[in-house]
Amino acid sequence: MILRWGRYIAVAYPLRIQLPIMASWAVGLTALFAAASDTINHWRPDGELAVTAVTLVIDMLLLRALDDLRDHAYDLTHNPSRPLPSRVVSQRDLGALVAVGALALLLLNADRGPVLIALLLQLCYGIGVMTVDWLTHWPPADRLWLGLALNLPIQTLLSLYVYVGFLRAEHQQPDLAGLMILVAATLCGLCLELGRKTTRHPRPGERTYVTVLGPSVTSAAAMAAATTAAAIVLVILRPWHDASPVHAWGWLVVLPPALPAVAALRFSAGTPRWPGPLLRSYLPAVYISFLAIGWLTKGALS
């Protein structure tokens, strides 16, 4: 079974791609929390943050496995090359991976108090939503917006886990700025979700929001999510203000939305889908910009 898990990870969750993405999520988001705090003058990544980053890597692997279990019937027809239909792994293998991985995460975070509670909340919600969908087929496959409303909070809860870890490590209390950063991070994820399903000509049976909104509106909604996320962070950081703790470095957050903007422009010019490389680069670029702001203002130059 362990060998089958290895083959599954190599195909469905290549670590050369996922490790940098999840590490940038944990470190970049934490750096932004530090940058937005008026009471933190000096910030450095530490062992607590390393645990958070490892947790995100494993957690997202479990979510990928649950997603494959949930979509097995759909993939048999529409994505036969996926690991389950192609028999790289079995449903029992993935169920065991989720159980073992969840236990490992709980043990890894066992002595982190409120951070463990945040992790439990995220695991229970994510596993619960996907298991209900897998076993009962609710919400129906054609209710994409209901499915989005149920699944998007999983990303929010992952970011909340990162936030609680930051609060514990830095002995801080929750504040409005931190909560608004969680909203911004969720909107970044929404941009990715909408963008990857923006297409002019859906394949037979393909689940895409364009069937409800149409291609142009779906593309515009994805771009609006990215723009709104950047605007929220700008309002929090106030880089135009002389008293801002991040000075002019806060303007770095306007750079990552250029990636979905170019994707949307190319789509409007006639490409059949949003260009994949631009879309896949967006979230890492967002979190790298957060890390740069935090490091340059509260880290290396503090």
Side-chain angles (χ1 to χ4, degrees):
M1 181 179 291
I2 294 176
L3 290 176
R4 292 193 295 273
W5 286 350
R7 289 195 292 269
Y8 172 76
I9 292 171
V11 173
Y13 195 75
L15 293 178
R16 70 182 186 280
I17 297 173
Q18 296 300 327
L19 275 174
I21 292 175
M22 302 314 296
S24 69
W25 184 348
V27 180
L29 198 56
T30 300
L32 183 61
F33 290 136
S37 173
D38 293 330
T39 61
I40 294 177
N41 297 316
H42 186 78
W43 172 81
R44 286 283 196 279
D46 56 14
E48 287 261 339
L49 184 52
V51 172
T52 296
V54 171
T55 297
L56 257 62
V57 172
I58 298 174
D59 200 310
M60 191 57 71
L61 169 61
L62 305 188
L63 291 174
R64 181 64 54 81
L66 285 166
D67 194 52
D68 279 334
L69 285 169
R70 177 178 62 178
D71 292 342
H72 182 40
Y74 176 84
D75 288 340
L76 282 170
T77 301
H78 301 287
N79 297 304
S81 62
R82 293 290 300 166
L84 268 179
S86 62
R87 298 185 179 181
V88 172
V89 288
S90 67
Q91 294 186 63
R92 179 176 294 181
D93 291 335
L94 292 188
L97 176 61
V98 171
V100 172
L103 178 60
L105 290 183
L106 296 178
L107 291 174
L108 185 62
N109 290 269
D111 63 346
R112 301 183 75 195
V115 186
L116 176 63
I117 295 173
L119 176 64
L120 273 170
L121 178 63
Q122 183 272 324
L123 286 174
C124 289
Y125 183 84
I127 292 174
V129 166
M130 292 193 178
T131 301
V132 168
D133 191 338
W134 175 33
L135 296 178
T136 69
H137 305 294
W138 186 89
D142 59 349
R143 301 286 300 277
L144 281 179
W145 290 104
L146 177 58
L148 178 63
L150 290 171
N151 285 290
L152 198 59
I154 296 174
Q155 293 191 27
T156 307
L157 291 171
L158 274 172
S159 294
L160 176 63
Y161 164 78
V162 177
Y163 184 40
V164 177
F166 160 78
L167 294 175
R168 180 177 185 270
E170 301 295 335
H171 308 289
Q172 300 286 306
Q173 295 296 320
D175 59 17
L176 181 59
L179 297 177
M180 291 306 297
I181 287 172
L182 296 181
V183 174
T186 302
L187 287 171
C188 292
L190 178 61
C191 172
L192 181 63
E193 170 66 12
L194 294 175
R196 70 187 183 90
K197 294 184 178 179
T198 299
T199 176
R200 296 186 183 282
H201 307 291
R203 296 185 295 266
E206 182 179 1
R207 301 170 182 171
T208 170
Y209 305 103
V210 303
T211 56
V212 178
L213 296 179
S216 297
V217 176
T218 304
S219 181
M223 190 62 236
T227 303
T228 304
I232 289 172
V233 177
L234 280 177
V235 169
I236 293 169
L237 298 179
R238 299 172 293 117
W240 57 84
H241 199 289
D242 290 340
S244 170
V246 302
H247 316 296
W249 292 114
W251 289 107
L252 288 173
V253 300
V254 305
L255 297 180
L259 294 169
V262 172
L265 286 173
R266 291 183 62 181
F267 182 74
S268 67
T271 58
R273 292 176 177 269
W274 268 32
L278 289 171
L279 190 59
R280 289 189 294 271
S281 301
Y282 169 61
L283 277 185
V286 167
Y287 290 118
I288 289 171
S289 75
F290 293 169
L291 174 58
I293 293 168
W295 186 251
L296 292 170
T297 60
K298 301 291 180 78
L301 300 183
S302 62

